[in-house]
Amino acid sequence: MGLRIYALLFQNKLQNNSHSLVTTKPKYQLSITVSVLFIFIFVSSPLPNMVALNERDNISIAQIVIFVPTLFLGIWLSIRHGFGKSAGWFYLIVFSLARIIGASMQLATISDPTNLSLRIGAATLQNVGLSPLIMIQLALLGRALGSIRKTTTSFVTEQRLRLVQLLALVGLILGIIGGSDSGSDFSTTGKWTISTLSKVGTGLTIAAFVLLALSTAAVAMQLSYIEAGEKRLVLIVGLCLPFILVRLAYAAETVYGNNPDFSQLTGNVNIQLGMAVIMEIIAVAIIEAIGITLEKIPKSQGPSVAPAGYQQPWQQREADHEMGGYR
């Protein structure tokens, strides 16, 4: 009954504001519609046995409300700029899904509070989501680097950035495996301990962030060689770095420290909100706000052009053809 009432109210709202919706840009309509319907359905669904929500549940609800439209906007950006991993928007989809799934698992504990798998899964996803956020920055920096290489060379290369991405990816995988190992130990001993794999994975993520910061500084020194429309890529990464650093500090204290306030399962919710959740939301907001203003790179135009004086194999073949096949 509650869902029907919300649907009727939503339909009436659509009729009264048909003009404003028509004038809304198509790329936002799907995201807005899905988000509103999701909120209506969620509010209409009664909580099992009217269980009161705790602070973690409230944070999870906020994450779902925020990252559902973020997911659809990330899909739109991927369609616009390409789904290739080098485009970076693919990792935005992965990050959004990790936050939505993790928050959903946390909310699922309301009806099944004794289910350890749900709690462990939510905690693991909360901890490993940092790697995709770093990989987004590396991909965006790679696009700016491609603009630089059209006119000059750079110490930072696409191949080196891919190695840093690989470092972050390995850290992500180890974090997932380590979280699973910690969950297995917790199920048998009742005590949450950080596994060695989780520590190694977090260490690789920290190393990837340091290399990202150094690469950003190197690319920023060649800002004058970047095309006017692409300079905002360096701005995105530069603005996000401080927020990612705070988020990384929270993850490091969670894994390496002994402060119970930073425990993955029972830590201080306010600290998690301030140092992790809000930092991620701000970083993603910066990425998408500037990302929608980026021009689409034509398919015929590669991400980078080789320095002057060097010819790609296809260029050499064309030159040979023009010369009649003789050198």
Side-chain angles (χ1 to χ4, degrees), residues 22-276:
V22 170
T23 56
T24 302
K25 292 184 179 180
K27 62 186 179 183
Y28 302 115
Q29 289 179 356
L30 177 61
S31 177
I32 294 172
T33 302
V34 172
S35 301
V36 172
L37 289 176
F38 178 85
I39 295 171
F40 283 167
I41 293 173
F42 182 83
V43 173
S44 302
S45 303
L47 293 176
N49 300 324
M50 298 303 293
V51 177
L53 297 176
N54 57 35
E55 292 182 344
R56 292 186 185 277
D57 298 333
N58 292 330
I59 292 176
S60 297
I61 293 173
Q63 285 182 310
I64 292 176
V65 171
I66 292 173
F67 285 109
V68 165
T70 296
L71 171 63
F72 283 96
L73 187 53
I75 294 174
W76 179 83
L77 287 170
S78 296
I79 294 174
R80 175 177 171 79
H81 298 286
F83 270 95
K85 295 181 180 180
S86 60
W89 311 113
F90 169 82
Y91 301 114
L92 182 59
I93 297 175
V94 173
F95 177 79
S96 300
L97 285 174
R99 287 295 164 260
I100 293 171
I101 296 173
S104 300
M105 295 179 73
Q106 173 61 37
L107 291 177
T109 61
I110 297 175
S111 59
D112 193 3
T114 60
N115 192 325
L116 294 179
S117 298
L118 292 175
R119 297 177 58 192
I120 294 170
T124 301
L125 287 174
Q126 179 67 31
N127 192 51
V128 303
L130 183 59
S131 292
L133 198 59
I134 293 177
M135 295 166 78
I136 296 170
Q137 311 301 314
L138 289 167
L140 296 177
L141 199 63
R143 173 167 165 169
L145 184 62
S147 180
I148 292 176
R149 287 173 59 84
K150 292 179 180 180
T151 55
T152 186
T153 58
S154 175
F155 173 78
V156 181
T157 63
E158 288 91 340
Q159 291 76 14
R160 291 172 179 173
L161 289 182
R162 291 193 190 101
L163 290 177
V164 181
Q165 280 187 332
L166 179 61
L167 202 64
L169 179 61
V170 174
L172 171 65
I173 296 173
L174 292 180
I176 294 174
I177 299 175
S180 178
D181 292 342
S182 297
S184 299
D185 295 339
F186 183 76
S187 300
T188 55
T189 64
K191 182 179 180 181
W192 181 264
T193 55
I194 304 298
S195 68
T196 302
L197 289 179
S198 293
K199 294 180 179 179
V200 174
T202 302
L204 293 178
T205 304
I206 294 174
F209 176 82
V210 172
L211 293 175
L212 167 64
L214 294 175
S215 300
T216 304
V219 173
M221 294 178 63
Q222 295 181 297
L223 193 63
S224 59
Y225 293 99
I226 302 178
E227 297 169 297
E230 300 292 283
K231 291 182 179 180
R232 67 195 71 179
L233 291 165
V234 183
L235 177 63
I236 293 176
V237 180
L239 291 177
C240 289
L241 283 179
F243 301 104
I244 298 178
L245 177 60
V246 175
R247 176 63 181 88
L248 187 62
Y250 176 83
E253 181 61 27
T254 298
V255 173
Y256 301 117
N258 297 317
N259 191 335
D261 288 337
F262 289 85
S263 171
Q264 291 183 352
L265 291 181
T266 60
N268 189 305
V269 178
N270 294 324
I271 295 178
Q272 177 189 356
L273 177 64
M275 295 187 65

